[in-house]
């Protein structure tokens, strides 16, 4: 058999065979696309799902629109009474905090007042002390029954004028607690202000008070609006002070009424949701009004441009009086609350200072607390939840910030707004909404630490976004483009360039979330279960049970732990340029 080669013309004229079917190769998403999509889905779920379920449960019952929850929730005390108390408390606390913070910022940055460093210490320490501890401190100081101030005035004048269990007492305690926030905002604004404008006004014959009212404060208007907005939202959402000081005096605000409704059985979820929506609306109105005057919750910058060194005004003969005022402020805000907390922690039961009280002092409360398994479990739960939340928040915030700052993809502005939205949602309302979600979603999360972790991640996401966005904007995109041109992929660029350069901001955000997580009670109080308490919840339970000495001892330990975190923040800051603010 002979093999012959087919002629080329025969091959050309042969009929073509059936076409080969080509199946499209599956498109595998690139790591960058996959990370962005997954992060966007998680952020939207964390924020949008709780608010959607909250709105549904507040307005829908048995499949139809219903406003019965509002009438039942506000039926006993009345809409006017509850809302009036809420607004009065929030506005009063904001005005007091703004007045104190602005005056202190001006004295420390624009005058030759003595002891200016004392003001900065007075602004840092109250930020460390949680409200759940600050309120009991003032109970020890100004309660009409056991208050130290009333004991002194009763012995000297025969009167007991101080009463912390009142609207005035609530405003006083909350105003002192938030004044350091106003100070930090206004101090930055006053330092960044161009002094030539004030000097021109003085040259034109204006007095110091006219310059302050017509030049300095108008220039600081964005900072005033931003600080006032934050103080208003914090005063509106705070739960501890109205619950500890208002409920004994039968003063109801929306947050305390939500808690009381949640303690009834069976729980009227529609009424509770209605109150949550009401508080959210009040907060949104406050944000809108402040935004009309230049206030923003996303940033605290007020006067752009280079930093200036304004000439300090000479206080003259008033300088000693200003120094005395600063010492008095430090004593009232820092020394007395922390001192009375430490004093009470060393007593078997609280009693006014005297020979018998000092003779009964011991460390028995600390020995008992450190030997109590429930206290150790609470600290362990707090560490697990806060570390997990800080890690998750910074991962989500970093990827989201890259998506918002570095890309031009449609929808990035919406994602940015969604990520910042929880900052106007009161913590108690957020915890309530998350509880609603996992009552409906059949996942084994409710009554576990996981639901508290989710609440913390949602609540603190805006703070992580602030740090991550600032870090991302400070890094030139040309560095990433150079890496891409050199052949590096997205993951390599992020790992080798972006993360090392953004590390200071990431660490700052992590430490900040860690600190505020240790203090958090509002989003936890409606979600915890026995054995899943955090330290703040444990303090709340001890106070409810009347264990004032135990509250003081746990509080001292908590403050020490937070001081360690702040010390680590400053230590890292000295080495890596980290700023926690």
């Amino acid at each position: 058999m002979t093999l012959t080669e087919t002629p080329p013309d025969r091959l050309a004229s042969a009929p073509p065979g059936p076409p080969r079917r080509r199946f499209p190769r599956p498109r595998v998403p690139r790591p960058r696309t996959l990370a962005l999509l997954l992060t966007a889905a998680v952020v939207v779920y964390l924020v949008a799902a709780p608010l959607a379920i909250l709105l549904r449960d507040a307005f829908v019952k048995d499949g139809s629109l219903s406003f019965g929850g509002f009438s039942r929730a506000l039926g006993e005390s009345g809409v006017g009474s509850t809302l009036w108390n809420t607004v009065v408390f929030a506005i009063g606390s904001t005005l007091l905090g703004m007045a104190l913070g602005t005056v202190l910022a001006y004295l420390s940055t624009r005058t030759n007042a003595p002891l200016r460093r004392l003001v900065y210490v007075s602004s840092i320490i109250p930020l460390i002390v949680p409200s759940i501890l600050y309120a009991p401190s003032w109970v020890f100081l100004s309660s009409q029954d056991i208050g130290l101030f009333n004991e002194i005035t009763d012995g000297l004048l025969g009167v007991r004028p101080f009463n912390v269990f009142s609207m005035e007492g609530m405003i006083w305690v909350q105003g002192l607690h938030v004044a350091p926030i106003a100070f930090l905002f206004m101090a930055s604004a006053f330092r960044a202000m161009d002094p030539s404008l004030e000097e021109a006004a003085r040259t034109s014959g204006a007095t110091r008070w006219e310059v302050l009212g017509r030049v300095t404060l108008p220039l600081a208007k964005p900072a005033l609006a931003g600080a006032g907005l934050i103080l208003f939202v914090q005063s509106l959402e705070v739960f501890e002070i109205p619950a500890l000081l208002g409920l004994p005096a039968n003063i109801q605000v929306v947050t305390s009424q939500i808690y009381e409704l949640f303690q009834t059985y069976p729980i009227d979820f529609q009424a509770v949701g209605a109150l949550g929506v009401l508080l959210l609306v009040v907060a949104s109105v406050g944000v809108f009004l402040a935004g009309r005057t230049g206030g923003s919750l996303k940033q605290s910058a007020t006067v752009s441009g280079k930093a200036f060194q304004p000439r300090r005004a000479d206080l003259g003969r008033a300088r000693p009086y200003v120094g005395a005022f600063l010492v008095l402020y430090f004593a009232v805000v820092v020394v007395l609350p922390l001192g009375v907390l430490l004093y009470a922690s060393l007593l078997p039961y609280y009693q006014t200072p005297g020979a018998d009280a000092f003779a009964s002092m011991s460390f028995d409360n600390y020995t008992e607390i450190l030997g109590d398994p429930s206290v150790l479990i609470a600290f362990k739960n707090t560490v697990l939840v806060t570390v997990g939340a800080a890690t998750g928040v910074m991962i989500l915030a970093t990827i989201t910030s890259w998506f918002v700052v570095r890309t031009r993809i449609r929808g990035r502005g919406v994602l940015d707004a969604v990520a910042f939205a929880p900052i106007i949602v009161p913590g108690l309302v957020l915890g309530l909404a998350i509880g609603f979600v996992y009552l409906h979603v059949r996942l084994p999360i409710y009554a576990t630490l996981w639901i508290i972790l989710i609440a913390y991640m949602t609540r603190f996401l805006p703070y992580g976004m602030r740090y991550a966005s600032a870090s991302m904007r400070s890094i030139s995109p040309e560095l990433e483009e150079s890496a891409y041109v050199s052949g590096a992929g997205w993951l390599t660029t992020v790992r080798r360039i972006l993360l090392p350069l953004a590390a200071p901001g990431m660490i700052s955000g992590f430490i900040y979330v860690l600190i505020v997580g240790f203090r958090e009670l509002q989003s936890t109080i409606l979600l915890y279960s026995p054995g899943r308490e955090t330290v703040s919840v444990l303090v709340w339970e001890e106070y409810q049970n009347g264990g004032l000495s135990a509250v003081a001892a746990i509080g001292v330990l908590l403050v020490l732990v937070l001081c360690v975190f702040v010390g680590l923040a400053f230590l890292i800051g000295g080495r890596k340029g980290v700023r926690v603010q």
Side-chain angles (χ1 to χ4, degrees):
M1 180 176 172
T2 305
L3 295 177
T4 61
E5 183 178 351
T6 305
D9 57 342
R10 295 283 301 272
L11 287 175
S13 62
R20 296 180 59 186
R21 295 186 61 186
R22 294 188 177 183
F23 295 96
R25 298 177 62 183
R27 297 183 61 184
V28 179
R30 292 184 298 173
R32 181 178 67 178
T33 304
L34 193 61
L36 292 179
L37 291 176
L38 183 60
T39 301
V42 172
V43 170
V44 171
Y45 171 76
L46 287 177
V47 178
L51 296 181
I53 296 295
L54 177 68
L55 292 173
R56 191 197 71 176
D57 285 3
F59 290 100
V60 176
K61 186 174 184 181
D62 298 329
S64 60
L65 184 65
S66 171
F67 295 93
F70 289 90
S71 60
R72 292 194 301 275
L74 301 170
E76 296 182 1
S77 60
V79 177
S81 175
T82 302
L83 283 181
W84 176 255
N85 290 337
T86 303
V87 173
V88 167
F89 171 67
I91 293 179
S93 303
T94 301
L95 292 177
L96 177 60
M98 285 299 301
L100 289 173
T102 303
V103 169
L104 292 170
Y106 184 79
L107 290 175
S108 62
T109 60
R110 308 305 295 271
T111 72
N112 64 341
L115 306 173
R116 291 191 298 271
R117 292 184 180 272
L118 201 63
V119 182
Y120 288 91
V121 176
S122 303
S123 68
I124 295 297
I125 295 180
L127 293 178
I128 298 175
V129 181
S131 298
I132 191 64
L133 297 177
Y134 208 66
S137 297
W138 280 97
V139 171
F140 295 141
L141 289 171
S142 54
S143 167
Q144 285 201 322
D145 296 327
I146 62 174
L148 178 61
F149 292 163
N150 282 317
E151 293 292 334
I152 294 174
T153 56
D154 192 16
L156 296 176
L157 305 173
V159 295
R160 305 177 76 89
F162 302 102
N163 182 18
V164 74
F165 297 106
S166 62
M167 178 60 75
E168 294 80 7
M170 293 164 54
I171 291 174
W172 171 259
V173 175
Q174 176 67 8
L176 290 182
H177 197 245
V178 297
I181 301 175
F183 167 80
L184 294 176
F185 267 75
M186 299 310 301
S188 299
F190 288 142
R191 280 195 299 265
M193 201 173 291
D194 188 350
S196 62
L197 301 174
E198 296 170 292
E199 292 171 0
R202 293 297 300 271
T203 304
S204 302
T207 65
R208 182 180 301 171
W209 291 106
E210 289 175 336
V211 172
L212 179 64
R214 301 181 66 177
V215 178
T216 306
L217 291 181
L219 286 174
K221 184 180 177 181
L224 287 168
L229 174 56
I230 287 186
L231 265 61
F232 178 77
V233 171
Q234 288 203 359
S235 300
L236 196 68
E237 70 172 11
V238 68
F239 164 72
E240 302 91 318
I241 291 175
L244 296 178
L245 305 182
L247 288 182
N250 199 27
I251 299 175
Q252 289 273 15
V253 297
V254 176
T255 52
S256 59
Q257 195 162 358
I258 289 175
Y259 177 76
E260 286 203 327
L261 282 175
F262 213 81
Q263 302 306 304
T264 59
Y265 184 82
I267 301 174
D268 188 343
F269 288 104
Q270 190 183 24
V272 176
L275 281 178
V277 170
L278 189 64
L279 189 60
L280 182 59
V281 169
V282 175
S284 300
V285 170
V287 171
F288 172 76
L289 294 177
R292 296 293 297 270
T293 59
S296 174
L297 285 168
K298 288 188 179 182
Q299 57 188 3
S300 59
T302 57
V303 181
S304 60
K306 63 181 180 180
F308 298 96
Q309 290 293 331
R311 184 169 54 188
R312 295 182 181 274
D314 184 12
L315 295 176
R317 296 180 180 180
R319 194 166 185 267
Y321 300 101
V322 171
F325 167 73
L326 297 180
V327 172
L328 178 63
Y329 178 79
F330 178 74
V332 170
V333 174
V334 177
V335 176
L336 288 174
L338 293 183
V340 76
L341 203 66
L342 178 61
Y343 165 78
S345 70
L346 299 174
L347 298 173
Y349 57 91
Y350 184 78
Q351 49 189 317
T352 54
D356 294 339
F358 288 113
S360 62
M361 282 184 172
S362 67
F363 292 97
D364 292 344
N365 287 324
Y366 293 97
T367 303
E368 183 178 351
I369 285 173
L370 294 176
D372 187 349
S374 63
V375 176
L376 300 180
I377 290 174
F379 271 94
K380 176 185 175 182
N381 292 340
T382 305
V383 171
L384 290 175
V385 171
T386 53
V387 171
T391 304
V393 161
M394 293 317 301
I395 292 174
L396 290 176
T398 301
I399 300 177
T400 304
S401 298
W402 187 91
F403 175 72
V404 172
V405 175
R406 287 288 191 264
T407 71
R408 295 294 180 266
I409 302 175
R410 290 182 179 180
R412 66 185 186 281
V414 176
L415 184 62
D416 187 37
V418 170
F420 270 101
I423 203 169
I424 68 167
V425 182
L428 201 68
V429 175
L430 184 63
L432 174 68
I434 290 174
F436 281 2
V437 169
Y438 294 101
L439 284 173
H440 295 285
V441 177
R442 296 187 178 278
L443 290 175
I445 291 178
Y446 199 85
T448 67
L449 286 180
W450 287 105
I451 194 170
I452 299 177
L453 174 64
I454 292 172
Y456 281 20
M457 287 182 62
T458 307
R459 178 157 168 74
F460 301 135
L461 180 60
Y463 303 106
M465 284 291 296
R466 178 185 174 188
Y467 284 97
S469 297
S471 296
M472 209 64 63
R473 288 189 173 94
S474 67
I475 301 172
S476 173
E478 297 175 355
L479 300 175
E480 297 173 67
E481 294 169 0
S482 300
Y484 295 146
V485 171
S486 301
W490 182 74
L491 287 177
T492 303
T493 303
V494 169
R495 180 172 56 88
R496 301 287 298 273
I497 295 177
L498 201 60
L499 288 182
L501 293 175
M506 302 299 104
I507 297 173
S508 298
F510 180 88
I511 295 174
Y512 183 82
V513 173
L514 205 64
I515 292 172
V516 295
F518 256 86
R519 301 170 42 187
E520 180 65 14
L521 175 67
Q522 299 166 45
S523 59
T524 316
I525 192 66
L526 301 181
L527 298 177
Y528 81 96
S529 58
R532 304 294 186 271
E533 298 91 347
T534 59
V535 178
S536 56
V537 171
L538 185 66
V539 172
W540 167 261
E541 290 182 338
E542 288 290 342
Y543 186 89
Q544 294 295 100
N545 295 330
L548 296 181
S549 297
V551 167
I554 297 173
V556 170
L557 293 177
L558 179 56
V559 170
L560 290 176
V561 171
L562 290 174
C563 287
V564 170
F565 282 143
V566 173
L568 289 175
F570 282 106
L571 180 63
I572 296 174
R575 296 181 178 181
K576 294 185 176 294
V578 175
R579 296 176 62 193
V580 180
Q581 53 182 343

